[in-house]
Amino acid sequence: MSHLVKKACALSDLQTLLDAARVMGWEVHQGGKAKFFSGYSEECDYVLTPVGEVNDRGEGLKYTIGIKQDKAGAISLLYDNAMNSRDVLYGDDEDACTQRVIGKLKQSYQVVAARRVAQKKGWRVSEQTKADGKVVLTLQGMR
């Protein structure tokens, strides 16, 4: 049996996080509750639907990811810790599917954030995705 986890994260800019999800083709909904195995989370500021992501059986994901931001600006993600829809996990353990999906979101966040910083400095940015999924950004600036 899986359960909902709520994890504080090092993702500190809400707009960058939302843009990172959109870059991956995920749906971003303002308000709502994250869906997990046994129901729904508390009310969230945003809910992400990971469109195009599949579990280890090739089926589309049944669950969504909630985003909450507290008054101090800290961001938490709310999601099912077993997105494969079949694993029994306890505590903060996550199945491989969940690790992959949340990892892709964090990677996209890093790429969007780096691109923004470089572009604010007037640098040109090119992006290459390697066969293993790693992203290489090449930054060209003026001295």
Side-chain angles (χ1 to χ4, degrees), residues 90-107:
Y90 301 97
D92 283 344
D93 290 342
E94 296 175 351
D95 67 13
C97 179
T98 303
Q99 291 173 10
R100 178 179 47 78
V101 170
I102 298 300
K104 284 175 78 172
L105 178 60
K106 290 178 178 179
Q107 179 186 46

Side-chain angles (χ1 to χ4, degrees), residues 79-100:
Y79 55 90
D80 194 289
N81 67 332
M83 290 187 183
N84 270 328
S85 306
R86 66 178 179 163
D87 298 317
V88 177
L89 301 169
Y90 301 97
D92 283 344
D93 290 342
E94 296 175 351
D95 67 13
C97 179
T98 303
Q99 291 173 10
R100 178 179 47 78

Side-chain angles (χ1 to χ4, degrees), residues 66-84:
I67 300 172
K68 288 196 68 135
Q69 187 173 35
D70 67 19
K71 291 178 183 178
I75 296 172
S76 294
L77 299 179
L78 292 81
Y79 55 90
D80 194 289
N81 67 332
M83 290 187 183
N84 270 328

Side-chain angles (χ1 to χ4, degrees), residues 130-141:
K130 300 286 188 174
D132 63 2
K134 291 182 181 175
V135 177
V136 176
L137 295 179
T138 302
L139 311 175
Q140 294 178 328

